[in-house]
Amino acid sequence: HIATIMDSKEAKDATIGKKVKLRLSTQDEVPAVVTYISNQEDKSILIVFEISECVEKLIDYRKISFDVIWWKYEGLKIPKSAITYENGLSYIVRNRAGYQDRILVEVLKENENYCIIDNYDHESLKKLGFSTKDISAMKKISIYDEIVINPDIENLEK
């Protein structure tokens, strides 16, 4: 078992039995399960994790450092203020060579400041009601694209 005191939102929302990953100082990621939670007087949370892998790498140490991976998604990390919503869909504005385009994106995960986004796949766009012609004409976001923070979507073409 590994015990730690945390004060993050994820720690405060944790439940017994939740499965997470711990990234050890050796950069190994090991599966863990929350087995005990206790609220502390200073509003922090004491959490005990149970692990069964890589224990031999930890037994020589009295104190260890590790990161708790509460969730893991792959995509592009962008500021939340770059996303606009219209009819239940998420858009960003890309600036490429001075031309600004609205691009439909899927928000995979978000917190107070950032979102993890990705392009929709063909099947998901069909389920949203787009035609094959519409889908083939859609632009996609890629890793080094410049995005606009707090875009003025009123002045953009759809």
Side-chain angles (χ1 to χ4, degrees), residues 47-65:
I47 299 182
V48 177
F49 299 99
E50 181 179 335
I51 64 169
S52 58
E53 295 178 20
C54 293
V55 176
E56 67 281 356
K57 294 181 181 181
L58 302 175
I59 58 175
D60 291 338
Y61 303 101
R62 183 171 161 355
K63 271 172 77 173
I64 61 168
S65 58

Side-chain angles (χ1 to χ4, degrees), residues 23-65:
R23 183 181 304 118
L24 306 176
S25 57
T26 60
Q27 297 307 311
D28 292 310
E29 287 185 12
V30 297
V33 177
V34 176
T35 57
Y36 179 80
I37 299 172
S38 176
N39 294 318
Q40 303 298 298
E41 290 178 14
D42 64 354
K43 305 278 194 250
S44 61
I45 309 290
L46 169 68
I47 299 182
V48 177
F49 299 99
E50 181 179 335
I51 64 169
S52 58
E53 295 178 20
C54 293
V55 176
E56 67 281 356
K57 294 181 181 181
L58 302 175
I59 58 175
D60 291 338
Y61 303 101
R62 183 171 161 355
K63 271 172 77 173
I64 61 168
S65 58

Side-chain angles (χ1 to χ4, degrees), residues 111-158:
N111 66 16
E112 305 83 43
N113 301 317
Y114 294 98
C115 292
I116 305 294
I117 64 162
D118 202 1
N119 294 303
Y120 278 101
D121 62 19
H122 188 81
E123 290 302 313
S124 298
L125 289 169
K126 278 207 149 311
K127 288 179 184 173
L128 289 173
F130 291 98
S131 69
T132 303
K133 183 180 176 184
D134 292 338
I135 294 170
S136 63
M138 285 184 175
K139 297 181 179 173
K140 299 194 178 278
I141 189 74
S142 59
I143 190 166
Y144 294 110
D145 282 344
E146 180 182 329
I147 61 170
V148 178
I149 307 296
N150 299 318
D152 180 15
I153 59 169
E154 305 297 322
N155 296 324
L156 289 175
E157 292 182 23
K158 292 187 179 183

